[in-house]
Amino acid sequence: MTTRPLRSFLFVPGDSEKKLGKIDGSPADAIILDLEDSVSPSRKTAARRLVADYLRDAVDTAGLPQLWVRINPLDSGEALADLAAVVAAGPAGIMIPKIDGPDQVQQVSHYLDAFEAAHGLSAGQIRLLPVATETASAPFRLGDFAGAGIDRLYGLTWGAEDLSAALGASTNLGPDGDWAVTYRLVRSLMLMGARAAGVEAVETLYVDIRDPDGLAESSRRARGEGFSGRIAIHPAQVEPINDAFTPTEAEIEFARRVVAAFDGEVGTVALDGKMLDLPHLKQAQRVLALVD
Ligand code: COA
Ligand code: MG
């Protein structure tokens, strides 16, 4: 279990031998071997076998990239079979799509308690990352992760595609090409829900796989808002995401100056003609924690 947040989570369709063959040596902090929507219903069984084999053959599951699996939703009738197929091979974590709220995540956590015990894994070693905004009711429960007591919860992430389908929307974009207000709202609620629960906030994917500059810019903005990592859907998206979620030299330098300025138990200081108080110190310490 790393203490530093994972910056990039690269999705790979679990039934694609070709794509699975391309992720060895990936610079992604985590790979998500997908059993859900990138796999057609007729390929689910084949995907489970391929993903389980991939996990078993992985040389060093303790290092990076961490290997995660996205299972099918709880109400699909496939989720238990997914877990049964992959947990023995010790994935680092499980992504759960289309949840309605923390109780379903707790349910998967209880399943994992049993699977971990059955396979001789450490209790709680498999982390959870729910996609917490994909149904119409899910956004109303985002504040309930705080206090839900799901110890293995790694973080929360969000998605706009399934939510717009659930809402009967024909688009999830506004006239400016950015997310429409509904999706900005759930994104913010997810961010606050994650931080209120004391876990990581993972930004959704960037659809345009041929726009590294747009991806980098939007990822830097997400980090500025408090997200700690992002979903990738194409290998070319991994490095821009890793870079965007790594503090720049200028930020590190500034953070060092802020920490130095607070030396001596003062509560507020001036730096470069601007007032800084304790929230600035916390932010600076957070930046330095990412690089130390
Ligand atoms: N993981 C591993 N390899 C990938 C990959 C991925 N996510 N995406 C693309 N590749 C491979 C391709 O197979 C291709 O290999 P090749 O050069 O040997 O042919 C190479 O990288 C370049 O791919 P490219 O031609 O640019 O893209 P594509 O048109 O083949 O695929 C997608 C585009 C979007 C279908 C593909 O990126 C993909 O499957 N992404 C993941 C989708 C997913 O898991 N979605 C679920 C979460 S929303
Ligand atoms: Mg989906």
Side-chain angles (χ1 to χ4, degrees), residues 36-37 70 97-98 134 161-162:
E36 199 216 3
D37 284 349
R70 180 168 73 172
K98 298 183 183 63
E134 290 188 313
E161 305 305 328
D162 288 282

Side-chain angles (χ1 to χ4, degrees), residues 100-151:
D100 285 323
D103 37 350
Q104 287 181 322
V105 181
Q106 190 64 276
Q107 189 180 338
V108 173
S109 183
H110 291 322
Y111 289 157
L112 289 175
D113 290 340
F115 281 117
E116 284 168 343
H119 296 298
L121 304 173
S122 313
Q125 80 170 62
I126 301 176
R127 310 300 304 276
L128 288 175
L129 178 62
V131 193
T133 68
E134 290 188 313
T135 70
S137 58
F140 299 101
R141 308 286 311 281
L142 285 163
D144 297 343
F145 283 95
I150 308 167
D151 292 339

Side-chain angles (χ1 to χ4, degrees), residues 6-83:
L6 302 164
R7 298 163 301 175
S8 49
F9 292 79
L10 173 62
F11 262 110
V12 185
D15 68 332
S16 170
E17 241 167 314
K18 180 179 169 214
K19 287 175 187 162
L20 288 169
K22 300 219 136 204
I23 53 183
D24 290 340
S26 168
D29 285 348
I31 302 279
I32 303 178
L33 305 159
D34 188 28
L35 297 176
E36 199 216 3
D37 284 349
S38 70
V39 178
S40 68
S42 64
R43 298 274 301 158
K44 297 286 183 197
T45 308
R48 271 182 207 125
R49 202 174 39 238
L50 275 176
V51 165
D53 287 347
Y54 187 88
L55 286 167
R56 251 189 303 273
D57 294 346
V59 195
D60 174 16
T61 47
L64 294 180
Q66 290 190 0
L67 299 177
W68 288 59
V69 177
R70 180 168 73 172
I71 61 171
N72 287 281
L74 271 183
D75 60 7
S76 66
E78 307 270 2
L80 264 176
D82 291 341
L83 291 173

Side-chain angles (χ1 to χ4, degrees), residues 45-292:
T45 308
R48 271 182 207 125
R49 202 174 39 238
L50 275 176
V51 165
D53 287 347
Y54 187 88
L55 286 167
R56 251 189 303 273
D57 294 346
V59 195
D60 174 16
T61 47
L64 294 180
Q66 290 190 0
L67 299 177
W68 288 59
V69 177
R70 180 168 73 172
I71 61 171
N72 287 281
L74 271 183
D75 60 7
S76 66
E78 307 270 2
L80 264 176
D82 291 341
L83 291 173
V86 303
V87 167
I94 299 291
M95 176 182 263
I96 321 169
K98 298 183 183 63
I99 57 149
D100 285 323
D103 37 350
Q104 287 181 322
V105 181
Q106 190 64 276
Q107 189 180 338
V108 173
S109 183
H110 291 322
Y111 289 157
L112 289 175
D113 290 340
F115 281 117
E116 284 168 343
H119 296 298
L121 304 173
S122 313
Q125 80 170 62
I126 301 176
R127 310 300 304 276
L128 288 175
L129 178 62
V131 193
T133 68
E134 290 188 313
T135 70
S137 58
F140 299 101
R141 308 286 311 281
L142 285 163
D144 297 343
F145 283 95
I150 308 167
D151 292 339
R152 61 171 87 239
L153 190 66
Y154 168 81
L156 301 181
T157 189
W158 74 288
E161 305 305 328
D162 288 282
L163 179 59
S164 47
L167 300 181
S170 56
T171 178
N172 46 34
L173 301 178
D176 58 357
D178 207 338
W179 298 117
V181 65
T182 302
Y183 306 89
R184 291 190 206 186
L185 172 71
V186 299
R187 175 176 178 275
S188 298
L189 289 171
M190 185 237 94
L191 171 62
M192 291 184 281
R195 293 312 188 185
V199 299
E200 299 302 331
V202 179
E203 173 67 306
T204 197
L205 57 91
Y206 189 82
V207 174
D208 189 347
I209 57 177
R210 313 262 182 256
D211 179 17
D213 295 341
L215 168 66
E217 168 59 22
S218 123
S219 301
R220 279 193 295 270
R221 276 206 310 268
R223 182 163 73 87
E225 285 181 79
F227 289 88
S228 57
R230 182 163 206 172
I231 305 287
I233 49 171
H234 189 283
Q237 293 188 317
V238 169
E239 303 221 33
I241 291 176
N242 283 349
D243 286 349
F245 286 95
T246 305
T248 62
E249 281 306 317
E251 284 171 301
I252 296 165
E253 171 61 23
F254 182 71
R256 291 211 169 101
R257 291 177 60 221
V258 171
V259 170
F262 276 95
D263 191 31
E265 313 231 327
V266 286
T268 182
V269 295
L271 190 67
D272 302 337
K274 294 202 180 84
M275 185 209 70
L276 302 179
D277 57 6
L278 289 178
H280 300 100
L281 175 60
K282 279 191 195 148
Q283 171 57 18
Q285 287 165 335
R286 210 182 154 85
V287 168
L288 295 181
L290 289 176
V291 290
D292 289 343

